[in-house]
Amino acid sequence: MSRHRIVLLGSTLVFYALIVIAVINTSWLVRLDWQLMFFRPYQQWPELHAFIDYYVVLGQRGPTAVMVAAWLGWRSWRQHTLRPLLMLGTSLLLLNLTVGAAKLSMGRLGPHYATTIGSNEMWLTGDIFPSGHTANAVVTWGILAYLASTPSARRYLSALSAVVALGVGLATVYLGTHWLSDVMLGWAAGVLILLALPWFEPLITRAEAWLLAARDRILDRYRRGPAAGSSEPGPSPVPQPVPAGGELAARETSNPHAARGGTHLNQRTHVVRSERTTVTPAGSRRAPHPDHVGRAAPVRPLTGG
């Protein structure tokens, strides 16, 4: 918060208080309100009515918040920061709290619902003091100038937001929905919020760091997957030491077929094919030797006659 900004904040706060005091005391400002109400600008210049009906939407909280949030959301995505959106949310929250509290506490009725000519219409059931359209136009469009990245862009956007906010306030007076003092207090309320935003910068910085850290934790958990279904290998079993004398027993335990062989594990337990006798069911395949005499079948004695 610079010294220049503190001076502006103090001056605007004094201006805000003077307007409230002037309305409460039914001063010249209230008489000016009634004169403009009887003048009825919407009847003096009816050709402007259609245009101003659309123009005043630039001060409505819903449409303007959506438009500015879309632009600041794109900036946040491009710059990889949440500061623009958090700043917009903080300013709108301050706007709702301060302007809403002032409206409900003073309860002023608007020109269309005025009950006594010349009175300030305070402490009744109204909710128009200060003008919400005007304050919202100052804050919503002024936040673009506050978040500008270069001094030249900040100057141009400041002038543009001032023209838009001034036009929205005068449009409500033209339509007869607000007193002039309502609009003046709405301008002051919006400027106070913009001037006080640097005091909330540390809080916004901490909120941004917390949100980004929470996002990183969620993304890491999503990438790793749940603990129960994780595909990461578990710890490998540690091999148990085997005593020197029990090496053979360990082998026999792991190979039960080798345990029946006793101590001849390193000997050859099968006869190779070349050492086997080639025998077939019909006898030897070798041709009979010419000098070999076969064994004759025994002669059985004949019995009977």
Side-chain angles (χ1 to χ4, degrees):
M1 180 72 76
S2 63
R3 182 177 301 179
H4 177 69
R5 186 178 289 269
I6 292 177
V7 172
L8 287 177
L9 180 66
S11 303
T12 308
L13 190 59
V14 171
F15 180 74
Y16 187 100
L18 289 176
I19 294 174
V20 174
I21 294 173
V23 173
I24 291 175
N25 294 327
T26 316
S27 66
W28 61 269
L29 187 56
V30 175
R31 291 194 297 270
L32 181 59
D33 289 338
W34 279 98
Q35 289 174 1
L36 287 175
M37 195 273 284
F38 285 128
F39 182 70
R40 291 181 175 86
Y42 58 89
Q43 292 181 355
Q44 300 296 328
W45 302 288
E47 64 276 4
L48 299 177
H49 202 292
F51 169 75
I52 291 180
D53 277 339
Y54 288 104
Y55 182 83
V56 80
V57 177
L58 295 177
Q60 289 185 1
R61 194 161 306 154
T64 56
V66 171
M67 289 186 290
V68 175
W71 168 254
L72 295 180
W74 181 80
R75 279 191 55 185
S76 297
W77 177 74
R78 287 292 301 272
Q79 299 175 358
H80 303 285
T81 177
L82 297 177
R83 180 174 175 267
L85 289 177
L86 291 176
M87 192 64 67
L88 175 64
T90 302
S91 62
L92 292 180
L93 179 61
L94 292 174
L95 175 68
N96 291 330
L97 292 177
T98 57
V99 175
K103 282 175 174 288
L104 295 177
S105 61
M106 289 184 280
R108 191 182 189 188
L109 292 175
H112 292 313
Y113 303 96
T115 58
T116 305
I117 297 176
S119 67
N120 56 15
E121 302 297 323
M122 296 283 284
W123 326 119
L124 298 176
T125 58
D127 57 352
I128 64 160
F129 188 62
S131 170
H133 275 68
T134 306
N136 182 71
V138 173
V139 172
T140 306
W141 302 110
I143 198 67
L144 298 178
Y146 182 88
L147 295 173
S149 55
T150 61
S152 60
R154 188 175 296 111
R155 286 194 297 268
Y156 293 140
L157 289 175
S158 297
L160 179 62
S161 61
V163 170
V164 172
L166 180 64
V168 168
L170 295 179
T172 60
V173 176
Y174 169 88
L175 295 172
T177 56
H178 279 288
W179 308 102
L180 179 62
S181 55
D182 298 341
V183 173
M184 296 172 64
L185 196 65
W187 286 331
V191 172
L192 283 176
I193 293 173
L194 291 178
L195 292 175
L197 280 179
W199 282 335
F200 296 88
E201 289 279 2
L203 178 62
I204 290 173
T205 301
R206 290 195 293 269
E208 180 185 14
W210 183 84
L211 289 173
L212 291 177
R215 182 202 63 179
D216 294 339
R217 288 195 299 269
I218 293 174
L219 290 178
D220 291 342
R221 189 179 300 115
Y222 175 76
R223 289 167 184 165
R224 289 197 304 264
S230 178
S231 59
E232 296 182 358
S236 57
V238 180
Q240 299 296 330
V242 181
E247 182 177 359
L248 182 60
R251 291 183 179 178
E252 293 176 357
T253 305
S254 61
N255 190 359
H257 297 287
R260 293 177 295 182
T263 58
H264 64 282
L265 290 175
N266 294 328
Q267 299 178 3
R268 190 167 57 191
T269 57
H270 300 282
V271 180
V272 296
R273 187 175 184 87
S274 59
E275 297 177 354
R276 298 176 183 175
T277 304
T278 56
V279 179
T280 60
S284 177
R285 294 181 181 179
R286 298 177 182 177
H289 196 273
D291 297 333
H292 178 71
V293 177
R295 189 179 294 177
V299 179
R300 294 181 179 178
L302 297 175
T303 59

